[in-house]
């Protein structure tokens, strides 16, 4: 089976997206919030109708605005796992799966497939978040769908549970013969689960390709909110110090750089290059680097050769460090871990916003 998608619309956002997904392939739609990822998924499911578009599966047309074809959702042979799971609270796990139109035998089979055998009689409130997610996956698979859609299905659980669910999906891949489309903003999730990534930014396909190709593409990384060469932080000038440094305040705390023009209270953007960032598991003392920025690891991606790109969330912004994969392993770095970015003051520079970045 092959899923082919092409949608265009002026609202709710300008959208012009097309791609195809082969049988057994898991495609990740990634991009910043508001890029149009979930809107595309809703178009595939028949929950949103574009101005122009076509959706077909293995030659069967689900949507074709040129011919007026638009199958309702219940006639599209698909399974959907929503972010909220959308389970019926009054029903047991078995009944929730049977609500997809499966008989009791088939419902029991898919619950066994997702390792929920023996929990058929429990209601959602009696299940953990991870178990509820597995019920939602079982319900989606119970229809023997031609297409499986996953709309940020792991975002409602804690990171520890999420790791277990990743392993569950990886195990299930051996049983999934249909095209699978995953919407996510988590690059570690996309790296781990997907065969291909489509990067969507401002309603346009920025990049479409195998996972490894996307992770080495600076333009694609930028569309996903990463800066392969570095990162920019918003900071406020606090003081012009006597030794030739300017002290600023960013989300991670104080920040020093060689003197820049500006007055106290002025908001500026500063750039920190990835190769100038070191990482530490604990706040170091008696070091020459003045800037020690606390953050939480958001993603760890393979870089060039033996390298790795570690992205730290610092408030609502990101700092990227280019270090070796050996260092990642030696320090035991994992997503969700707190650590510190160490940056020399001489490596921080005021960022002059270019035309491309200044435009909305």
């Amino acid at each position: 089976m092959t899923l082919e998608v092409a949608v265009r619309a002026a609202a709710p956002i300008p959208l012009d997206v097309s791609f195809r997904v082969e049988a057994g392939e898991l495609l990740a739609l990634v991009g910043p919030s508001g890029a149009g990822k979930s809107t595309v998924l809703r178009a595939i499911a028949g929950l949103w109708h574009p101005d122009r578009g076509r959706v077909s599966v293995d030659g069967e047309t689900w949507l074709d605005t040129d011919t007026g074809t638009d199958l309702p959702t219940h006639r599209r042979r698909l399974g959907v796992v929503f972010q909220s799971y959308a389970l019926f609270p009054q029903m047991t796990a078995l009944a929730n799966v049977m609500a997809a139109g499966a008989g009791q035998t088939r419902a029991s089979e898919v619950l066994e497939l997702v390792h929920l055998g023996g929990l058929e009689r429990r209601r959602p409130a009696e299940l953990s978040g991870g178990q509820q997610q597995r019920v939602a996956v079982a319900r989606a698979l119970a229809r023997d769908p031609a297409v499986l859609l996953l709309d940020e299905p792991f975002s409602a659980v804690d990171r520890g549970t999420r790791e277990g669910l990743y392993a569950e999906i990886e195990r299930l891949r051996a049983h999934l013969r249909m095209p699978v489309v995953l919407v996510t903003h988590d690059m570690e999730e996309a790296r781990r689960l997907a065969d291909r990534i489509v990067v969507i930014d401002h309603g346009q396909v920025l990049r479409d390709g195998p996972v490894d190709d996307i992770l080495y593409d600076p333009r694609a990384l930028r569309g996903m909110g990463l800066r392969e060469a570095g990162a920019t932080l918003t900071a406020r000038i606090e003081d012009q110090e006597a030794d030739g440094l300017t002290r600023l305040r960013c989300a991670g705390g104080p920040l020093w750089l060689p003197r820049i023009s500006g007055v106290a209270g002025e908001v500026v953007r500063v750039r920190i290059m990835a190769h100038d960032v070191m990482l530490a598991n604990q706040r170091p003392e008696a070091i020459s680097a003045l800037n020690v920025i606390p953050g939480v690891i958001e993603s760890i991606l393979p870089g060039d050769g033996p390298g790795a790109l570690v992205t730290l969330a610092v408030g609502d912004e990101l700092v990227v460090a280019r270090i070796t994969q050996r260092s990642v392993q030696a320090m035991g770095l994992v997503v969700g871990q707190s650590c510190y970015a160490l940056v020399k003051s001489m490596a921080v520079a005021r960022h002059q916003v270019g035309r491309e970045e200044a435009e909305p």
Side-chain angles (χ1 to χ4, degrees):
M1 295 181 184
T2 301
L3 168 67
E4 297 184 80
V5 178
V7 293
R8 291 184 179 180
I13 62 170
L15 196 65
D16 186 358
V17 172
S18 61
F19 56 84
R20 61 186 291 156
V21 192
E22 303 296 336
E25 183 180 34
L26 194 154
L27 175 78
L29 294 181
V30 303
S33 297
K37 307 182 298 295
S38 291
T39 301
V40 172
L41 211 70
R42 293 175 64 222
I44 299 171
L47 300 172
W48 174 75
H49 308 284
D51 300 332
R52 296 193 61 188
R54 177 179 171 81
V55 177
S56 65
V57 181
D58 203 25
E60 178 185 1
T61 301
W62 289 358
L63 170 71
D64 189 337
T65 54
D66 289 341
T67 63
T69 302
D70 190 359
L71 292 184
T73 299
H74 70 272
R75 290 185 56 195
R76 301 188 186 197
R77 194 157 62 89
L78 53 82
V80 184
V81 179
F82 297 101
Q83 182 176 344
S84 64
Y85 310 150
L87 300 178
F88 297 108
Q90 75 278 15
M91 292 185 179
T92 64
L94 183 66
N96 264 283
V97 176
M98 292 176 65
Q104 182 171 340
T105 299
R106 174 57 178 165
S108 296
E109 288 175 351
V110 291
L111 284 171
E112 287 283 353
L113 186 63
V114 297
H115 291 171
L116 288 180
L119 302 180
E120 295 89 347
R121 301 300 173 188
R122 292 192 184 181
R123 290 178 170 80
E126 301 170 310
L127 299 171
S128 68
Q131 290 169 338
Q132 290 178 37
Q133 196 264 7
R134 293 183 191 185
V135 174
V137 171
R139 183 176 60 186
L141 295 176
R143 299 185 64 192
D144 293 319
V147 175
L148 179 62
L149 306 178
L150 308 174
D151 190 5
E152 300 204 46
F154 310 110
S155 60
V157 296
D158 61 72
R159 189 163 295 278
T161 302
R162 199 177 304 174
E163 286 295 320
L165 293 173
Y166 291 164
E168 190 71 30
I169 293 296
E170 289 172 328
R171 186 186 63 80
L172 280 174
R173 288 293 303 278
H175 303 275
L176 303 181
R177 304 301 180 201
M178 74 291 287
V180 182
V181 181
L182 166 70
V183 165
T184 181
H185 64 276
D186 188 323
M187 277 311 303
E188 178 64 18
E189 188 170 292
R191 182 195 68 78
R192 180 162 174 176
L193 299 179
D195 301 301
R196 269 177 48 236
I197 293 176
V198 169
V199 182
I200 301 178
D201 191 21
H202 293 96
Q204 305 284 322
V205 173
L206 185 64
R207 190 74 160 79
D208 179 349
V211 172
D212 287 344
D213 289 355
I214 299 298
L215 298 183
Y216 289 127
D217 185 334
R219 184 166 176 257
L221 290 172
R222 177 174 179 171
M224 293 182 286
L226 297 176
R227 300 291 189 270
E228 195 270 346
T232 55
L233 292 177
T234 303
R236 187 180 300 275
I237 296 176
E238 288 193 329
D239 192 21
Q240 303 289 2
E241 303 196 346
D243 57 1
L245 297 177
T246 298
R247 185 178 78 242
L248 303 99
R249 174 73 55 174
C250 70
L255 194 66
W256 284 269
L257 73 161
R259 177 162 293 173
I260 60 173
S261 61
V263 297
E266 181 181 348
V267 175
V268 298
R269 297 279 283 169
V270 296
R271 167 156 286 178
I272 300 173
M273 306 304 290
H275 60 261
D276 288 324
V277 180
M278 298 177 64
L279 298 180
N281 282 326
Q282 298 179 341
R283 180 181 287 274
E285 297 181 0
I287 60 171
S288 62
L290 294 178
N291 298 307
V292 181
I293 305 170
V296 177
I297 297 177
E298 185 169 284
S299 67
I300 302 174
L301 305 176
D304 299 328
L309 290 173
V310 180
T311 302
L312 302 185
V314 179
D316 293 330
E317 298 184 300
L318 302 175
V319 170
V320 182
R322 182 187 282 124
I323 63 176
T324 64
Q325 295 181 30
R326 178 181 294 185
S327 294
V328 171
Q329 295 171 3
M331 296 175 66
L333 299 181
V334 294
V335 172
Q337 174 185 337
S338 297
C339 67
Y340 295 87
L342 315 180
V343 189
K344 297 186 298 182
S345 293
M346 301 303 292
V348 182
R350 183 166 185 166
H351 175 52
Q352 301 298 327
V353 178
R355 179 180 178 184
E356 181 187 39
E357 291 176 272
E359 293 177 348

